[in-house]
Amino acid sequence: MEETAVNFKNLGIREFQGHKKKVHSVAWNCSGTKLASGSVDHTARVWNIDAHGHGKVKDIELKGHTDSVDQLCWDPKHADLLATAAGDKTVRLWDARSGKCSQQVELSGENINITYKPDGTHLAVGNKEDELTILDVRKFKPIHRRKFNYEVNEIAWNTTGELFFLTTGNGTVEVLAYPSLIILHTLVAHTAGCYCIAIDPVGRYFAVGSADSLVGLWDISEMLCVRTFTKLEWPVRTISFNYTGEFIASASEDPFIDISNVQTGRSVHQIPCKAAMNSVEWNPKHNLLAYAGDDKNKYQADEGVFRIFGFEST
């Protein structure tokens, strides 16, 4: 893999404004044509994004939640179905074409994490009380609940859906068999809490971001840490692999988003930012990185924006 194959230096950034308060989460649909943003303003929005940055961007508002939309994710098999998790205890399923909520379920606590199983059949939801709920997507009902007696942060399935990962406040990654949810491994990953996890789309690695400011790269087949990325100095809040698995983006309260080469561990580009970042996510088809944080305007009010890096400068 050639490091020089992608030159990030000359790529442009576009800003997208629509939310009234800060954006907590950004996510691309499976075809890379739409981006969803979830905000403290109780709404999600869906944006039609042209990969080359052409044309006027149309967006649609998804209204219904009565508290902050903390995380959202798209159906991995359907480019127009979106799931949102919010502080109002509900999880909602939306059709991005109509903007209508098609399903909703109320769970036991304030929801902060949500992720789809790669085949689109199940959703996993984590809440502030460290409870994990698995939802059957078709029936939109809980099929499994488990409460943990430690802090559970971001959650993820591997690419085959046979393994389920929990990052914990103890600095460990719990690796569970799926669907049994039997713990297979407890990986001592960091000296401080693990906040976020990303799965390499090729299926070889997963990466974990921690409060100790490090990102660890783990080999899934060996369950061994093979590399650490050390560019950030603050707790790592959000990480994402690009679609080829060659690059990893990570962000925190540092004044930049780091992009590093997965194989060499070297930083290849930094995107300047003015605030702590909440969410970074690469497009599944192109080297476009969406990112959102705590940006404020000159009056110290939330800007409610997200940005996308990677457009060819014309």
Side-chain angles (χ1 to χ4, degrees):
M1 288 196 205
E2 280 298 302
E3 253 187 82
T4 50
V6 181
N7 182 6
F8 291 111
K9 302 287 175 277
N10 304 321
L11 299 177
I13 295 169
R14 289 183 71 177
E15 184 177 291
F16 298 83
Q17 197 143 22
H19 287 288
K20 296 176 182 66
K21 291 190 174 160
K22 70 183 174 189
V23 176
H24 262 177
S25 181
V26 285
W28 295 96
N29 70 348
C30 58
S31 59
T33 55
K34 291 181 178 180
L35 185 121
S37 54
S39 169
V40 177
D41 69 9
H42 304 182
T43 72
R45 283 176 179 265
V46 172
W47 312 72
N48 288 315
I49 308 285
D50 178 82
H52 307 289
H54 299 321
K56 188 161 172 14
V57 175
K58 294 197 287 289
D59 73 309
I60 181 167
E61 189 177 47
L62 310 182
K63 284 160 100 162
H65 281 297
T66 56
D67 203 339
S68 174
V69 179
D70 275 346
Q71 203 171 31
L72 38 74
C73 58
W74 292 86
D75 186 317
K77 301 288 183 196
H78 196 306
D80 285 302
L81 295 182
L82 174 73
T84 54
D88 62 11
K89 300 187 178 181
T90 69
V91 173
R92 293 175 186 240
L93 203 59
W94 307 82
D95 186 315
R97 292 159 298 198
S98 64
K100 298 225 169 7
C101 173
S102 58
Q103 300 267 30
Q104 72 176 79
V105 62
E106 186 163 326
L107 301 179
S108 62
E110 291 180 49
N111 303 308
I112 48 175
N113 287 302
I114 188 165
T115 190
Y116 261 100
K117 188 163 176 256
D119 65 5
T121 58
H122 294 168
L123 273 166
V125 184
N127 70 20
K128 282 187 177 170
E129 285 76 50
D130 306 311
E131 187 174 38
L132 173 72
T133 303
I134 308 288
L135 294 172
D136 177 302
V137 172
R138 209 164 46 85
K139 300 190 178 100
F140 222 66
K141 288 199 166 48
I143 52 172
H144 199 96
R145 279 201 178 94
R146 183 180 294 184
K147 181 108 165 62
F148 294 90
N149 58 1
Y150 45 78
E151 179 187 310
V152 173
N153 294 315
E154 212 166 29
I155 49 181
W157 270 279
N158 72 335
T159 49
T160 63
E162 298 164 307
L163 297 175
F164 189 76
F165 297 88
L166 309 166
T167 57
T168 81
N170 306 333
T172 65
V173 179
E174 303 292 336
V175 186
L176 283 58
Y178 197 82
S180 69
L181 295 179
I182 293 164
I183 293 182
L184 301 175
H185 309 278
T186 295
L187 307 175
V188 181
H190 290 272
T191 54
C194 296
Y195 286 162
C196 51
I197 186 164
I199 310 292
D200 151 35
V202 186
R204 297 164 304 180
Y205 303 115
F206 64 94
V208 178
S210 165
D212 64 12
S213 84
L214 300 174
V215 174
L217 183 75
W218 291 73
D219 181 304
I220 284 191
S221 58
E222 306 278 341
M223 289 293 163
L224 288 173
C225 184
V226 292
R227 198 161 293 116
T228 50
F229 303 91
T230 59
K231 272 287 177 236
L232 300 175
E233 293 181 9
W234 290 85
V236 184
R237 293 175 164 212
T238 173
I239 53 179
S240 177
F241 285 96
N242 82 323
Y243 72 102
T244 61
E246 287 172 272
F247 300 104
I248 187 165
S250 54
S252 60
E253 293 169 55
D254 285 88
F256 59 87
I257 297 162
D258 182 64
I259 299 173
S260 284
N261 181 296
V262 169
Q263 292 304 330
T264 66
R266 280 204 291 274
S267 177
V268 294
H269 191 66
Q270 293 179 350
I271 305 165
C273 48
K274 298 198 234 5
M277 287 292 114
N278 296 318
S279 183
V280 297
E281 189 163 288
W282 288 99
N283 183 294
K285 307 285 185 196
H286 308 278
N287 279 321
L288 293 175
L289 182 73
Y291 57 99
D294 296 342
D295 294 81
K296 304 252 193 251
N297 64 19
K298 63 183 178 188
Y299 306 110
Q300 289 308 296
D302 284 354
E303 277 190 332
V305 302
F306 67 90
R307 294 177 177 87
I308 299 175
F309 164 81
F311 292 110
E312 302 283 342
S313 301
T314 48

